[in-house]
Amino acid sequence: MNETGTTAQRRRPRNRKAQILVAAAEAFSERGYHPVGIEDIAATVGISGPALYRHFPTKYSLFVHTVMRMTDSLTAATDPAVIDVEDPQARIDAVIGAIIATTLDNRRTGGLYRWEGRYLVGSDREYLRRALRTVHERMTVPLRQLRPDLSESDAALLATAAISVVASITAHRSALSAKQIEESMLAAARSVLWTELPQQGSASPHRESVLEHASKHEELLHHSIRLFYLHGYHEVGLDDIGAAASITASSVYRYFPSKAELLEAALHRANDQLTDTLAGALEHSSSPVDAVRTFARLYTELTFRQGELVAVYFAEIGNLPADRRTTLRRIQRHNIDGWAQLLREARPNTSVVVSKFLIHAALGLVFDVGRTVRFERSDRTMARVQQTMTAVLLG
């Protein structure tokens, strides 16, 4: 009741739809598309599920809007009408700067298209691909003007790597001022774009690992990783994993109590291998700079050898129960701290936090570029990716 004794009408906020989009983007970014329900998003905004459906008829339609919101922002920020610069170097810097600014504005949600875009279907998926191609072209065109020696595929690889460097800031919460982030990411992206790519190396075909004499435990783990990679965790059932290993779904329980246990085992396997890269880099190097180069080689080889496992590691951790997710992320932070310390020994004037930013950028670069070349394990391809990773780390 108001002062006149009449019932006050509750008005719907004009920005309700924007509030829903922000809440949904943050939830999808933190936990992934499938684990998040409409009621979760509605509760965050302070409305009911039916009230949310008045704005978005399905969870998928809401998801599409959250993904496209970021890609539309990127294409708008890098539009030639906005970046009206003739000089190729100035244009590249302006494009990178626009991507950095847009990503910073959407830091908590800007990585959504990288990890959850696989759940888009049909024309929505094609729209996302076109938008990303447009952003890439706005970098490759001036890059090839500056570096006419580059082939179209080489320019595309470097552009993918440079954009990945910037996108990496959405993958962690390390604190740094916006100005410092902009400076460090711009410098790292420039180093990538001017990397001299090795031209030599064999072009051996990508070969799947063969499960010879593997235990049933290992076989199930292998097949679950592959199926999670191909279809996503929530689209795979224990019957699918059992069938791949030629056993029944009920027999899977003899080795793993649940599908979540399989995922957790896979993520711990990835963490163990990532931890080993630091030990290997230190063991086989004579100086900090040499150790960073060795780390880049070992990490690239690991990612290309175990591309499916690394993809699952990055994309599916949100599907674990909260307590197990916390444990794994604690191990992740420990690895990042160790690698950042190694980098600081090689670059003493680099701060702890900037070192962490560069480590995240380098790791994401290897995965993003690897994904575009389908983790082709040729000496030439891996040498090129290793070179771009080293450029990020050592400048």
Side-chain angles (χ1 to χ4, degrees):
M1 301 286 287
N2 59 22
E3 292 180 358
T4 64
T6 59
T7 302
Q9 184 177 3
R10 190 176 180 182
R11 295 183 178 179
R12 187 183 309 162
R14 292 183 179 180
N15 65 339
R16 177 70 81 201
K17 190 170 185 177
Q19 290 177 345
I20 292 170
L21 283 170
V22 170
E26 291 180 357
F28 291 143
S29 296
E30 177 66 23
R31 297 167 52 199
Y33 172 60
H34 282 288
V36 175
I38 283 292
E39 294 294 339
D40 300 324
I41 299 167
T44 301
V45 180
I47 60 176
S48 66
L52 189 150
Y53 282 123
R54 286 200 290 268
H55 298 277
F56 299 95
T58 64
K59 186 175 88 166
Y60 177 75
S61 68
L62 175 56
F63 174 65
V64 170
H65 276 79
T66 61
V67 174
M68 300 315 179
R69 194 163 172 253
M70 179 61 183
T71 53
D72 288 347
S73 295
L74 286 171
T75 54
T78 57
D79 192 298
V82 176
I83 301 177
D84 187 16
V85 182
E86 293 295 331
D87 178 70
Q89 183 62 64
R91 175 171 283 274
I92 285 178
D93 287 349
V95 169
I96 296 172
I99 295 173
I100 292 173
T102 304
T103 306
L104 280 173
D105 287 342
N106 299 273
R107 188 174 179 187
R108 292 187 62 182
T109 60
L112 190 57
Y113 71 91
R114 293 174 76 200
W115 308 116
E116 300 300 302
R118 59 201 164 129
Y119 293 119
L120 295 174
V121 297
S123 60
D124 295 325
R125 178 175 291 187
E126 184 53 36
Y127 182 92
L128 175 63
R129 287 173 176 169
R130 284 200 308 271
L132 295 179
R133 280 198 299 269
T134 297
V135 175
H136 277 72
E137 286 170 3
R138 289 170 180 171
M139 190 173 293
T140 56
V141 170
L143 177 61
R144 293 190 73 191
Q145 291 175 335
L146 281 172
R147 299 187 60 183
D149 57 304
L150 290 175
S151 66
E152 185 175 342
S153 61
D154 286 351
L157 185 151
L158 293 177
T160 297
I163 292 172
S164 176
V165 164
V166 178
S168 69
I169 67 177
T170 67
H172 60 100
R173 297 291 175 264
S174 300
L176 202 61
S177 72
K179 181 175 177 57
Q180 288 174 305
I181 293 175
E182 182 178 355
E183 290 175 349
S184 60
M185 293 298 97
L186 178 59
R190 282 174 173 168
S191 295
V192 166
L193 292 175
W194 285 99
T195 299
E196 292 296 332
L197 296 173
Q199 299 300 318
Q200 302 300 317
S202 62
S204 56
H206 177 96
R207 295 178 182 176
E208 299 295 336
S209 59
V210 179
L211 289 173
E212 294 181 4
H213 311 297
S215 67
K216 187 59 68 175
H217 181 280
E218 284 298 308
E219 191 178 349
L220 286 168
L221 190 56
H222 169 85
H223 288 301
S224 66
I225 291 167
R226 179 156 180 74
L227 289 170
F228 294 156
Y229 170 74
L230 291 173
H231 307 294
Y233 175 78
H234 278 270
E235 299 299 317
V236 176
L238 285 180
D239 53 340
D240 300 313
I241 297 169
S246 302
I247 62 175
T248 64
S250 59
S251 297
V252 176
Y253 289 109
R254 294 168 53 192
Y255 303 93
F256 293 94
S258 66
K259 188 173 72 166
E261 295 281 351
L262 269 164
L263 176 60
E264 185 178 14
L267 299 184
H268 275 293
R269 173 70 55 86
N271 262 330
D272 291 343
Q273 295 185 4
L274 292 171
T275 301
D276 289 344
T277 60
L278 178 60
L282 294 173
E283 181 181 353
H284 298 101
S285 304
S286 57
S287 69
V289 170
D290 187 37
V292 170
R293 294 184 186 279
T294 303
F295 167 62
R297 176 177 61 80
L298 293 176
Y299 183 81
T300 300
E301 290 174 355
L302 168 63
T303 303
F304 275 64
R305 188 177 68 249
Q306 300 279 354
E308 294 173 356
L309 174 59
V310 174
V312 169
Y313 176 75
F314 278 118
E316 303 293 358
I317 189 171
N319 290 303
L320 285 179
D323 57 334
R324 299 183 184 186
R325 202 162 61 231
T326 299
T327 298
L328 277 161
R329 283 186 167 146
R330 189 180 301 119
I331 298 171
Q332 287 178 340
R333 287 192 293 271
H334 178 74
N335 282 331
I336 294 294
D337 289 344
W339 297 329
Q341 178 58 37
L342 174 64
L343 182 57
R344 286 198 74 211
E345 292 173 8
R347 297 178 63 172
N349 294 327
T350 304
S351 71
V352 173
V353 182
V354 170
S355 295
K356 291 181 181 180
F357 270 82
L358 294 176
I359 290 292
H360 280 288
L363 301 183
L365 176 157
V366 175
F367 177 74
D368 285 336
V369 175
R371 186 162 51 176
T372 64
V373 298
R374 299 181 183 276
F375 299 105
E376 176 204 322
R377 290 200 297 270
S378 68
D379 292 342
R380 180 171 179 265
T381 298
M382 289 194 292
R384 289 166 158 231
V385 176
Q386 176 190 333
Q387 193 78 351
T388 56
M389 182 180 183
T390 303
V392 171
L393 296 174
L394 297 179

